[in-house]
Amino acid sequence: MVSGVLTDGPVVLVQGPCEGLPEPVRDYLVELEPERIAALGGTGAVCADLLHQARDVVAPPPSGPDCDVDKCVALTFDDGPSAHTGRLLDTLDELDVPATFFVVGQSAQSNPDMVARIHAEGHEVQNHTWDHPQLPDLALAQQQEQYDSTQDLISGLGVRDTDQLRPPYGAWDSNTRALGVPLILWSIDTRDWETQDAEAIRAEVNANLHDGAIVLQHDTIAESVDAVPGIVADLREQDYHFVTVDDLVPDAGPGDLVYSRGNVVDAAATEAAQLRHEHEYVVPPVTTDVG
Ligand code: NI
């Protein structure tokens, strides 16, 4: 019989040929129940099951939060990579927080190593167009070129994630939706470009915080990077978990408008809804002079 397997309670291993027990697993079991481990024997099925559980304890499978149950937020950073991106990555690494980076193609082209680093450190790299135009000013073919050139570049760097687009300024039209990827907008605008003040940016997140939020920041703005430790501390204190956009909204489809986990406007929404949102401009232009 098995009781309280690999818990703080008693561990009883009386069945199963456990030859081939991986050393870390054996050591773990020996530490828990030094007497029982020496007496393994019996049917294979039980032992295999125990081994499986033991391996999970010794080397737990990667398991993120379950956003159906846990409170989740996605931090997103636009317009980079820039001179501040490295410092942001250091901070996120220290805090063990994943984020989503919407990079500008021409900035990624001039700083490919930083794009590779974003990806290597477990963050998402997504598309913020080639040179940050107002997409509704462009015809479909030009919008497509903005998207494709950036996508080709990040693919060429070997860092392509799922296909998403964040339209600059949150401005999109029916052609943008016709590009065939989810348009990732946001539900908390930190207005970091306006205040350029870390405490104000942090306060803006707190004032608008909700489960499933997508937070908009810019890694081109030093004060926005400065604000990250405070934001993370505030949210963790309220039991929020940090996830990438893809993990927050895994089912977003082509042309969907994604504001937050709980607010996704399906591409199949009515024509009236499309017209209402047409040429929607959410934020004024942001400087993208990132060198
Ligand atoms: Ni932008």
Side-chain angles (χ1 to χ4, degrees):
M1 292 300 294
V2 177
S3 169
V5 175
L6 303 181
T7 68
D8 292 334
V11 175
V12 182
L13 306 176
V14 294
Q15 290 183 308
C18 284
E19 66 271 10
L21 200 64
E23 212 166 296
V25 176
R26 190 193 59 213
D27 292 349
Y28 181 84
L29 293 173
V30 165
E31 196 182 327
L32 281 183
E33 288 288 322
E35 291 157 22
R36 312 277 187 190
I37 193 71
L40 290 170
T43 69
V46 172
C47 192
D49 186 50
L50 287 174
L51 277 178
H52 180 75
Q53 294 179 50
R55 283 198 186 99
D56 283 351
V57 171
V58 174
S63 58
D66 176 357
C67 296
D68 283 333
V69 179
D70 301 316
K71 292 196 286 186
C72 292
V73 163
L75 299 184
T76 69
F77 297 91
D78 285 14
D79 296 1
S82 84
H84 307 298
T85 306
R87 187 163 63 87
L88 173 58
L89 288 171
D90 292 343
T91 301
L92 293 172
D93 181 50
E94 209 168 289
L95 298 169
D96 197 22
V97 167
T100 305
F101 289 76
F102 291 92
V103 301
V104 171
Q106 63 180 9
S107 302
Q109 187 179 43
S110 30
N111 206 344
D113 291 347
M114 192 58 73
V115 178
R117 187 183 157 193
I118 294 169
H119 176 76
E121 297 190 2
H123 307 289
E124 249 178 58
V125 176
Q126 299 292 357
N127 192 320
H128 194 41
T129 73
W130 184 259
D131 58 6
H132 212 271
Q134 292 274 0
L135 288 174
D137 291 345
L138 306 181
L140 175 59
Q142 294 171 296
Q143 293 196 28
Q144 188 79 58
E145 175 60 23
Q146 285 281 336
Y147 178 79
D148 289 347
S149 54
T150 305
Q151 211 67 352
D152 289 348
L153 180 87
I154 58 182
S155 290
L157 295 172
V159 303
R160 183 158 167 184
D161 287 306
T162 51
D163 295 342
Q164 299 173 1
L165 173 66
R166 172 164 281 165
Y169 318 112
W172 52 269
D173 62 9
S174 51
N175 285 332
T176 321
R177 295 188 84 172
L179 295 174
V181 297
L183 304 184
I184 308 300
L185 300 156
W186 54 84
S187 59
I188 301 179
D189 182 356
T190 60
R191 305 188 76 79
D192 52 355
W193 51 273
E194 188 177 50
T195 61
Q196 300 193 19
D197 180 291
E199 281 309 308
I201 292 162
R202 179 180 178 178
E204 199 65 39
V205 175
N206 277 312
N208 297 287
L209 188 58
H210 64 95
D211 186 18
I214 297 177
V215 179
L216 170 64
Q217 293 184 257
H218 298 84
D219 51 320
T220 50
I221 297 173
E223 294 82 359
S224 212
V225 176
D226 297 341
V228 169
I231 292 169
V232 170
D234 291 346
L235 271 57
R236 282 200 166 139
E237 200 174 319
Q238 298 169 70
D239 296 325
Y240 277 90
H241 298 262
F242 296 93
V243 294
T244 62
V245 169
D246 199 35
D247 288 338
L248 187 74
V249 193
D251 299 326
D256 286 356
L257 304 174
V258 179
Y259 295 94
S260 69
R261 180 176 171 87
N263 186 6
V264 176
V265 180
D266 193 88
T270 63
E271 195 177 324
Q274 285 201 26
L275 287 172
R276 191 167 68 245
H277 287 280
E278 196 88 354
H279 294 271
E280 179 178 24
Y281 288 76
V282 179
V283 292
V286 177
T287 304
T288 57
D289 179 18
V290 293

